[in-house]
């Protein structure tokens, strides 16, 4: 069965510093990969997605992620964070050839940005 | 363009009761998925509806059932509520075979 591991449960960082949130998945087949952000008391917002093509994917709010098939990783990066980036971040995977399009999520990483 | 909407926002129920949650997908979307998010956890897939049929189901008991209407809106029903059913229930919509899903704000269910 598919699984997603987010290696850090909490990441504290200062404003304007770079950040990397790590995500590994377990699958021997092709997958689609996603990062979502959840602000307090809200639903999930899609940050970026990898379906095919270039392994470097750019998303909203200055975030980007790199798909590494050999390491089964999809780490999220931002070169300079803002206070407003404080939120919960979820990595998710789905399989192209299954009956439906269910997303399997990791447990999340709490990004805390302080001044 | 309205996004995914869910109702109610919050709900308090007693153990053993039944509950119905509702979801309207984003305009132009025909597929609805439901997820359960326990406190401090990532969302877990419950099931997905497409063309009014359950297309895919996660590892949830039969107490969890759903329905999709001809206008693509959907309901999630949970029978015989347990304390462990307390969670944020998220609805997501998408189009056909496209895998990116767009989420609603969720319904916070508390079972006492």
């Amino acid at each position: 069965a598919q699984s997603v591991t987010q290696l850090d449960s909490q990441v504290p960082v200062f404003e304007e510093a770079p950040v990397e949130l790590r995500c590994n998945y377990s699958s021997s087949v092709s997958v689609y990969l996603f990062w979502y952000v959840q602000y307090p008391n809200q639903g999930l917002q899609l940050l970026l997605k990898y379906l095919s093509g270039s392994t470097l994917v750019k998303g909203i709010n200055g975030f980007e992620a790199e798909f590494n098939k050999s390491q089964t990783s999809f780490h999220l990066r931002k070169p300079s964070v803002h206070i407003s980036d404080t939120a919960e971040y979820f990595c998710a995977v789905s399989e192209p050839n299954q009956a439906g399009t269910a997303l399997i999520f990791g447990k999340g990483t709490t990004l805390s940005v302080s001044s | 363009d309205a996004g995914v909407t869910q109702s109610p926002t919050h709900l308090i129920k007693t153990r053993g009761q039944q509950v119905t949650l509702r979801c309207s997908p984003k305009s132009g979307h025909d597929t609805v998925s439901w997820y359960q998010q326990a406190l401090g956890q990532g969302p877990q897939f419950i099931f997905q509806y497409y063309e009014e049929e359950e297309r895919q189901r996660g590892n949830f008991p039969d107490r969890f059932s759903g329905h999709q209407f001809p206008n693509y809106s959907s309901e999630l029903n949970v029978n015989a509520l347990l304390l462990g059913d307390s969670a944020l229930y998220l609805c997501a919509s998408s189009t056909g075979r496209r895998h990116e899903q767009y989420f609603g704000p969720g319904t916070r269910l508390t079972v006492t």
Side-chain angles (χ1 to χ4, degrees), chain A residues 34-51:
Chain A
F34 305 85
W35 276 98
Y36 284 86
V37 61
Q38 186 176 34
Y39 298 102
N41 300 313
Q42 294 187 26
L44 277 69
Q45 180 182 8
L46 180 63
L47 272 179
L48 48 78
K49 62 190 178 191
Y50 172 79
L51 304 180

Side-chain angles (χ1 to χ4, degrees), chain A residues 32 34 36 38 41-46 49 51 88 90 94-108, chain B residues 31 33 35 37 40-45 48 55-56 88 90 92 94 96-106 108:
Chain A
Y32 295 149
F34 305 85
Y36 284 86
Q38 186 176 34
N41 300 313
Q42 294 187 26
L44 277 69
Q45 180 182 8
L46 180 63
K49 62 190 178 191
L51 304 180
E88 191 78 13
F90 293 97
S94 68
E95 289 185 15
N97 298 317
Q98 62 185 351
T101 59
L103 293 171
I104 306 302
F105 285 88
K107 292 186 176 181
Chain B
T31 302
S33 303
Y35 295 82
Q37 185 179 20
Q41 300 295 316
Q44 289 199 311
F45 174 73
Q48 183 177 84
R55 177 163 75 176
Q56 191 176 9
L88 181 67
L90 294 164
S94 55
R97 294 293 306 169
R98 294 180 67 87
H99 285 244
E100 58 266 38
Q101 298 180 18
Y102 296 85
F103 285 78
R108 173 74 62 187

Side-chain angles (χ1 to χ4, degrees), chain B residues 18-21 47 63-67 75-79:
Chain B
Q18 177 263 346
V19 69
T20 298
L21 311 182
F47 43 55
R63 298 187 297 108
F64 290 77
S65 63
H67 188 76
E75 288 182 348
L76 163 66
N77 302 292
V78 186
N79 294 323

Side-chain angles (χ1 to χ4, degrees), chain B residues 2-7 22-26 34 74 91 93 103-107:
Chain B
V4 179
T5 59
Q6 292 186 242
S7 63
R22 295 177 175 82
C23 172
S24 291
K26 185 177 168 64
W34 287 92
S74 176
C91 170
S93 73
F103 285 78
T107 294

